[in-house]
Amino acid sequence: MTTIGLIGSGNIGGTVARLAVAAGHDVVLSNSRGPSTLASLVAELGPKARAATVAEAAAAADIVVVTVPLKAYRDIPAAPLAGKILIDTNNYYPERDGEFAELENGSTTTGELLQKHFADAFVVKGFNTIWYEHLRSLARPAGSPERSALPIAGDDETAKKAVADFFDSIGYDTVDVGPLAENWRIQRDEPAYVTPYGPYGDPVGATANADYIRERVAAAKRSR
């Protein structure tokens, strides 16, 4: 089984951790406030989970999930993530993150920003198109007719394959939308963002299979 490191253990991080443990993976959780603040989540997850510092979580992990607000990604030291596969869950919310000129003018994408910062890691955009409650409720075993798919983007094919295998283990198919330069297709307010999985606020959600997600990705129209 794979060891999953979490940098950020909020709604998405905690949900990914729960799905990973249920699938038999080990998880190492971290956040900006220190391991002691994660005691209740670790207790809930059981013996396959532990809390650590950010550097320790990165060192222990085969795959690292970076799930902090975009405004905070530069606060994470890059050196401990060198050589790691990194799942970037970020979306850009100017009202929360402040304005990023390079995102406003369309000259780059959020995934490319993280790849530039974590230059020696292998960044794969993922988990950013689904509300955490739907991520929890829609997981299904392989072969289920109700299985949903999650889109990913990344520049390294080996890293994308590892992430797709991880997604498969926790209950999701994968749709590859191409390199990080194309991750604008799966950002906030694009057709593949949140709504394919059911109404926001309804924790049950709705199946969004791979064909449907491909249609939603193809319907994206770049506004900037």
Side-chain angles (χ1 to χ4, degrees):
M1 288 289 111
T2 302
T3 297
I4 307 300
L6 280 298
I7 298 177
S9 300
N11 289 334
I12 287 289
T15 302
V16 171
R18 291 178 179 93
L19 291 173
V21 165
H25 300 292
D26 294 317
V27 299
V28 185
L29 300 126
S30 70
N31 63 18
S32 61
R33 294 171 293 139
S36 63
T37 65
L38 295 165
S40 61
L41 180 56
V42 169
E44 174 197 333
L45 293 170
K48 296 191 75 64
R50 64 183 176 91
T53 66
V54 167
E56 289 166 346
D62 301 299
I63 296 175
V64 179
V65 182
V66 173
T67 181
V68 300
L70 184 66
K71 64 182 179 181
Y73 81 90
R74 288 167 292 200
D75 297 332
I76 302 170
L81 288 156
K84 299 290 183 176
I85 296 168
L86 189 162
I87 301 176
D88 161 30
T89 77
N90 275 293
N91 286 300
Y92 172 46
Y93 303 103
E95 64 275 18
R96 178 197 66 185
D97 300 314
E99 233 178 61
F100 283 65
E102 59 270 59
L103 297 177
E104 291 293 326
N105 66 27
S107 62
T108 194
T109 65
T110 54
E112 289 174 299
L113 283 181
L114 266 78
Q115 184 64 81
K116 183 178 180 180
H117 179 67
F118 300 108
D120 296 320
F122 303 98
V123 174
V124 178
K125 174 67 74 173
F127 290 130
N128 68 299
T129 61
I130 189 167
W131 183 41
Y132 77 97
E133 289 280 13
H134 291 159
L135 180 62
R136 176 193 57 78
S137 65
L138 293 176
R140 298 290 187 275
S144 169
E146 295 182 343
R147 201 175 217 220
S148 293
L150 298 172
I152 62 171
D155 295 338
D156 185 272
E157 296 300 321
T158 300
K160 286 195 286 189
K161 174 64 166 58
V163 171
D165 288 346
F166 173 55
F167 282 12
D168 180 55
S169 75
I170 63 172
Y172 286 90
D173 293 333
T174 303
V175 170
D176 185 350
V177 307
L180 291 171
E182 292 294 305
N183 88 228
W184 66 268
R185 296 180 178 277
I186 54 173
Q187 287 291 181
R188 178 189 185 183
D189 297 332
E190 295 298 339
Y193 177 77
V194 177
T195 55
Y197 304 98
Y200 181 83
D202 171 12
V204 176
T207 300
N209 65 26
D211 287 341
Y212 181 57
I213 295 300
R214 289 188 191 98
E215 290 175 6
R216 299 291 80 207
V217 169
K221 297 186 183 300
R222 193 163 199 169
S223 59
R224 56 179 179 263

